[in-house]
C-alpha cells in the first residue's frame, strides 16, 4: 500500500547491502523462472535488452531495496505491536486458499506451513494498522507541481 511504502521510505535505519542483494537474487530467480516458462533464458533476455547481467541486477536494485525496506518495516510493526494470527484466522485462511485453488483443506495444510501462514496473516495486520493509522498530508508545492506533471 502507499502508506506502507511512504512509512518505509521515511525509516531512518540502514538496510544492509547484503539484504538488498539477496532480494535482487530472489527477483532475478523469479524473473528467470517466468522467462523459462516462455522458453527464454535470462542471459538471452539481458542481451536482447542491450545489456548484461550486471546491468539487469542494477536495474532491479531500486525495486529490491523498496521490497526489503517494506519487509523490515512490517516485521518491526508486527514485533512492536505484538501482532499474531489466531488459530481461527489460520483456519479461515486455509479455507480461503482451498476454495481459491480448488483443493481440499488438508492438502493446503500439507503444502503451506502453519508458521508461514501465521507470519503472512500478522504482516497483513501490520499493513492494515499502518494504512488505518496513516494521515493524509498536503504535498509541498514542489511535489504537487511534480505530481501534476506525471499525471498529464
Amino acid at each position: 500500500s502507499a502508506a506502507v511504502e511512504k512509512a518505509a521510505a521515511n525509516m531512518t535505519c540502514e538496510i544492509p547491502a547484503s539484504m538488498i542483494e539477496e532480494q535482487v537474487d530472489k527477483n532475478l530467480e523469479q524473473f528467470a523462472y517466468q522467462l523459462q516458462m516462455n522458453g527464454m533464458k535470462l542471459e538471452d533476455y539481458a542481451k536482447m535488452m542491450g545489456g548484461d547481467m550486471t546491468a539487469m541486477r542494477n536495474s532491479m536494485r531500486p525495486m529490491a531495496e523498496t521490497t526489503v525496506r517494506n519487509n523490515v518495516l512490517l516485521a518491526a510493526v508486527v514485533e512492536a505491536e505484538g501482532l499474531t494470527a489466531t488459530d481461527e484466522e489460520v483456519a479461515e485462511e486455509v479455507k480461503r486458499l482451498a476454495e481459491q485453488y480448488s483443493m481440499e483443506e488438508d492438502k493446503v495444510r500439507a503444502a503451506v506451513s502453519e508458521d508461514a501462514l501465521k507470519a503472512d496473516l500478522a504482516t497483513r495486520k501490520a499493513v492494515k494498522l499502518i494504512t488505518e493509522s496513516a494521515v493524509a498530508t498536503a504535498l509541498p508545492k514542489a511535489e504537487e507541481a511534480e505530481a501534476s506533471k506525471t499525471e498529464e
Side-chain angles (χ1 to χ4, degrees):
S1 86
V4 172
E5 286 187 19
K6 186 70 173 167
N10 289 335
M11 281 191 329
T12 55
C13 67
E14 280 298 311
I15 304 293
S18 61
M19 287 177 79
I20 296 168
E21 291 308 311
E22 199 175 299
Q23 187 63 46
V24 169
D25 291 341
K26 284 181 189 173
N27 292 356
L28 271 173
E29 237 175 72
Q30 288 174 332
F31 190 59
Y33 180 76
Q34 290 170 336
L35 286 172
Q36 192 178 355
M37 292 288 103
N38 292 311
M40 191 173 218
K41 288 186 177 146
L42 188 61
E43 293 78 8
D44 296 339
Y45 177 84
K47 284 179 195 158
M48 190 176 82
M49 298 308 288
D52 57 13
M53 290 306 295
T54 302
M56 192 155 207
R57 288 185 70 81
N58 291 340
S59 72
M60 289 186 155
R61 199 164 279 108
M63 186 176 70
E65 183 171 359
T66 298
T67 300
V68 171
R69 288 185 78 78
N70 290 352
N71 291 345
V72 167
L73 170 74
L74 292 169
V77 170
V78 165
E79 187 175 330
E81 297 294 329
L83 301 176
T84 57
T86 64
D87 291 340
E88 293 80 29
E89 289 167 328
V90 171
E92 285 173 27
E93 183 65 6
V94 167
K95 184 178 180 181
R96 189 188 70 74
L97 290 169
E99 288 171 5
Q100 181 179 342
Y101 294 105
S102 303
M103 293 171 69
E104 293 169 24
E105 287 183 27
D106 59 336
K107 294 234 184 334
V108 171
R109 287 185 188 280
V112 183
S113 88
E114 189 168 325
D115 288 344
L117 274 180
K118 284 184 174 181
D120 185 54
L121 290 167
T123 299
R124 286 190 216 165
K125 287 181 180 184
V127 170
K128 186 176 181 191
L129 181 72
I130 291 168
T131 305
E132 289 174 352
S133 304
V135 177
T137 57
L139 287 175
K141 292 289 179 203
E143 282 185 40
E144 204 172 277
E146 195 58 40
S148 66
K149 279 184 200 170
T150 57
E151 288 174 9
E152 291 172 3

